Amino acid sequence: MQRRDFLLSSLAGAGMARGAGARRPNILFIMADDHASHAISAYGSRINRTPNIDRIAQGGVRMDNCFCTNSICTPSRGVILTGQYSHITGVKTLQDPLDPARQNVAKLLQAGGYATGIVGKWHLHKDPAGFDYWNILPGQGAYYDPVFIENGEKKKHQGYCTDLIGDFSLNWLKGRPKDKPFFLMCHHKAPHRNWQPGPKYAHLFDGQTIPEPDNLFDDYAHRSEAAHRARMRVGENMNRNDVKTDFPPGLKGNDLRRWAYQLYIKDYLRCVQSVDDNVGRLLDYLKAENLEQDTIVIYTSDQGFFLGDHGWFDKRFMYEESLRMPFLMRYPREIKPGGLNRDMVLNLDFAETFLDYAGLKVPADMQGRSFRQNLRGRTPKDWRKSMYYRYWMHLTNDHYVAAHYGVRTHTHKLIYYYGKPLGATGTGKEITPPEWELFDLKSDPREMRSVYGEAEYAKVQADLTKEMARLQELYRDTPA
Ligand code: CA
C-alpha cells in the first residue's frame, strides 16, 4: 500500500474521511428488475448460482433486511431517486411519471461535481433529469434487438438487451471525464416478465428439475381474501407468452402449477445468468482500471419477486419475498469483506446514502436516512426498528392485488387491505372488504397463517396498529 493510500484508509477507518480534501468514491449502482434475493447464491439460493454478483458480497457486505416501500417497478424507482415515499413523489402506480422538475439524487450528485450516467431500464415515463448521459429503454423495453433512447434519440440495436446494457455501461465508463468521480446507474430489464433468455443461456437447466418452494401449492387458507383473489398463480394466471409453448390440454390444478413452474423459473434464472455475466464485466473493468478501492459497487433490484412462493409469480404484496430487495455492496475503503448485516434499510435510504458518501448535504425533504455506518457494522443506536409500506394499485386488472398498507418490525408484520370500490380500473361493481393480516415472522417466516384477532397476539396487534399510525404521520401519508 502506498503511504498516501495508507493514510487515507486510516482516516476512513476512523470515520474522518469526510470533509475538505477527502476522497470521493465513484458509485456504480447496478439494479436488476424483479430479481429476488433467493435467486442469488450469496443469499443462499437453492435454485441457481450467481458467481459474479457473489463477488460483490464476498468483497463487501450482504444486507439481509433491505425492503422496498412499494413493491412495484415504477414507484420503487421513484423512491430510489428521490428518497421520498410514493405519496410524496406522486409515483404511486406504474402509470405515474416522475416529474423531471423534482429534486433527485442524480441532480444533486451532478451539481456536486459527479459525472452522472444511466443506462437501461428507466420506466419513469418522462426523460431522465440529472444525468450527463442517458441511454434508456422506452417503457419496459424489449429483450431482443431493443430500441434505446440515447440522450433523447431513438436507436434500434441488434443483440440481447442485458448484454447491450453491459456494453453501453462499459462504453460510458471508458469515455467518462476522468477528472470527476462517477455515478452510474446500470439498470437491467432482466429478469422481468416475460423472462426471455439470451442465446448464451437458452438451454441452461435443460433436462434438470429446479427445486420447488415448499409452499408452491399454497391454498391461501388462514389468509386474507386479497391473497385468494390475486391473479398471480403460476400456471393458472399465466399465458402462452409466459410459458412459450402451448398449455397441455386438460392439465389442471397442482399438475398445471408444477409444469408451469419449471418452465417459468428456468427462463427467469436464464435471464438472471446473463445479468450475472454483465455484473462480472463491470467488476472486471474496475479491476483492470485499478478502480476497485475507490468505487462503491451495489447490486440490488427494484423489489423482490415470488419464485413460486405461495404458488405465485410477480410481486406487489407486502409479503416477504416481494418486500425484500437484495442489497450487496462493496467499498474496500470502508467495508470489510464478507460482512452480513440485518439492520432494516429501505430503498427510501439509497439517495441519502449516496449523498453521504459524496460528502453532500441531504435535503430536508428526503424521508430516508443514510446507512453508511450500518454498512460498516456500526449501527446508530436510534436506527429504525420498523418500516412502513404501501401498495396503491387497487385491483388493477392484470394481477388483481388489493391496495394495502402495513408495518413490519424484526418480528411481526401487520397488513391492512383497506378496500374500496373497483372504480374505473375494472367492472365498477365490486367492492372489496377491509381486512387485516398479522404475521409472526419468528414462528411463521413463510407467512402461511395470519394470527390477526388471536388473543395471544392482542398486545402485538395493538402496538403495531399504533406504530403504523405513527409512521403514517411521520411520512405524511393519509390513511384510507
Ligand atoms: Ca420490477
Side-chain angles (χ1 to χ4, degrees):
M1 190 183 280
Q2 300 286 316
R3 182 177 149 74
R4 184 171 158 272
D5 286 341
F6 176 79
L7 284 171
L8 280 166
S9 80
S10 303
L11 283 171
M16 292 161 65
R18 291 184 64 189
R23 188 191 295 264
R24 304 212 299 167
N26 304 306
I27 303 170
L28 173 58
F29 178 81
I30 309 171
M31 184 162 78
D33 193 340
D34 293 2
H35 189 185
S37 54
H38 50 316
I40 294 175
S41 36
Y43 278 96
S45 169
R46 299 161 58 240
I47 56 176
N48 69 331
R49 311 301 303 163
T50 50
N52 289 299
I53 296 169
D54 294 2
R55 285 162 66 186
I56 303 173
Q58 285 151 9
V61 60
R62 180 183 102 189
M63 301 300 282
D64 272 10
N65 287 312
C66 180
F67 302 123
C68 61
T69 54
N70 182 359
S71 183
I72 190 86
C73 308
T74 304
S76 177
R77 288 155 198 272
V79 172
I80 288 168
L81 282 161
T82 61
Q84 296 174 328
Y85 268 91
S86 303
H87 58 273
I88 305 287
T89 62
V91 188
K92 296 176 183 172
T93 75
L94 286 173
Q95 286 75 39
D96 299 325
L98 180 67
D99 181 353
R102 291 192 77 84
Q103 194 57 277
N104 77 46
V105 70
K107 287 185 183 181
L108 295 165
L109 290 169
Q110 188 182 48
Y114 271 72
T116 58
I118 180 163
V119 172
K121 181 144 175 204
W122 171 249
H123 208 202
L124 285 158
H125 306 297
K126 296 194 172 169
D127 287 350
F131 294 94
D132 305 336
Y133 175 77
W134 48 281
N135 197 359
I136 59 168
L137 294 163
Q140 295 281 7
Y143 271 110
Y144 305 135
D145 296 339
V147 169
F148 278 79
I149 310 172
E150 186 177 24
N151 291 340
E153 193 185 335
K154 271 191 186 180
K155 288 182 198 165
K156 193 171 164 68
H157 298 267
Q158 290 209 318
Y160 184 55
C161 187
T162 304
D163 296 329
L164 290 169
I165 290 169
D167 293 345
F168 301 153
S169 298
L170 281 171
N171 288 347
W172 183 75
L173 284 174
K174 288 173 186 167
R176 75 187 194 281
K178 304 285 196 308
D179 57 338
K180 293 176 171 185
F182 69 80
F183 173 60
L184 174 62
M185 302 186 98
C186 170
H187 287 187
H188 285 287
K189 164 187 173 58
H192 192 278
R193 193 185 186 185
N194 62 336
W195 319 295
Q196 293 180 292
K200 184 176 171 189
Y201 293 115
H203 296 287
L204 183 68
F205 305 115
D206 277 3
Q208 294 180 42
T209 302
I210 307 289
E212 294 169 351
D214 55 4
N215 56 4
L216 180 63
F217 305 113
D218 193 351
D219 61 2
Y220 317 107
H222 314 292
R223 241 76 48 74
S224 60
E225 278 302 310
H228 287 264
R229 195 187 294 118
R231 294 175 190 163
M232 314 199 310
R233 297 184 191 182
V234 173
E236 193 181 325
N237 299 129
M238 286 178 167
N239 59 47
R240 203 180 176 286
N241 282 332
D242 296 321
V243 293
K244 304 166 193 85
T245 184
D246 291 323
F247 285 82
L251 198 64
K252 284 189 300 208
N254 289 354
D255 293 336
L256 170 64
R257 191 169 296 179
R258 173 165 279 152
W259 173 81
Y261 170 76
Q262 289 299 323
L263 293 174
Y264 138 67
I265 202 71
K266 285 180 184 177
D267 277 342
Y268 178 94
L269 296 175
R270 289 165 181 146
C271 290
V272 166
Q273 218 60 40
S274 287
V275 172
D276 187 70
D277 277 0
N278 281 283
V279 168
R281 292 174 70 200
L282 294 178
L283 296 180
D284 290 347
Y285 171 80
L286 296 179
K287 191 174 169 62
E289 294 295 309
N290 202 20
L291 290 168
E292 282 182 322
Q293 290 293 314
D294 287 317
T295 304
I296 290 169
V297 183
I298 291 161
Y299 185 82
T300 187
S301 167
D302 56 348
Q303 78 292 300
F305 210 70
F306 296 105
L307 305 178
D309 314 282
H310 296 292
W312 288 332
F313 64 102
D314 215 73
K315 55 265 181 179
R316 298 163 196 262
F317 276 100
M318 197 190 169
Y319 298 140
E320 292 291 273
E321 295 84 359
S322 156
L323 179 70
R324 175 168 284 110
M325 306 164 79
F327 193 96
L328 304 168
M329 179 166 148
R330 187 180 80 181
Y331 182 37
R333 290 213 188 275
E334 279 196 18
I335 298 173
K336 290 195 193 110
L340 173 66
N341 184 295
R342 296 197 171 84
D343 295 342
M344 210 180 275
V345 301
L346 308 175
N347 57 349
L348 187 73
D349 303 321
F350 292 3
E352 296 83 340
T353 305
F354 301 158
L355 293 171
D356 189 358
Y357 281 110
L360 297 170
K361 195 172 174 310
V362 175
D365 63 356
M366 284 192 176
Q367 297 180 301
R369 181 174 174 186
S370 167
F371 53 98
R372 181 177 181 175
Q373 296 308 319
N374 309 63
L375 290 159
R376 304 170 70 192
R378 299 178 188 182
T379 306
K381 282 205 171 58
D382 59 347
W383 192 255
R384 73 166 70 80
K385 302 224 167 18
S386 65
M387 60 84 59
Y388 177 65
Y389 178 90
R390 186 163 185 175
Y391 172 76
W392 294 82
M393 296 177 64
H394 188 64
L395 302 188
T396 49
N397 287 337
D398 48 353
H399 291 311
Y400 223 65
V401 174
H404 55 286
Y405 49 72
V407 59
R408 187 197 191 281
T409 64
H410 282 285
T411 53
H412 295 88
K413 186 187 293 178
L414 178 73
I415 308 177
Y416 180 50
Y417 302 89
Y418 42 90
K420 60 177 183 178
L422 192 56
T425 56
T427 64
K429 289 177 187 160
E430 265 179 87
I431 309 275
T432 55
E435 51 180 345
W436 294 85
E437 286 179 322
L438 176 64
F439 294 102
D440 182 336
L441 300 173
K442 291 277 180 214
S443 66
D444 179 26
R446 297 290 272 161
E447 299 166 304
M448 299 297 286
R449 191 172 78 87
S450 169
V451 294
Y452 189 84
E454 294 186 10
E456 129 184 41
Y457 288 94
K459 181 167 185 329
V460 170
Q461 192 173 304
D463 289 349
L464 283 182
T465 308
K466 226 165 102 182
E467 179 62 4
M468 191 160 75
R470 184 187 75 83
L471 292 175
Q472 284 181 324
E473 195 180 332
L474 175 70
Y475 295 123
R476 291 176 286 132
D477 192 14
T478 313

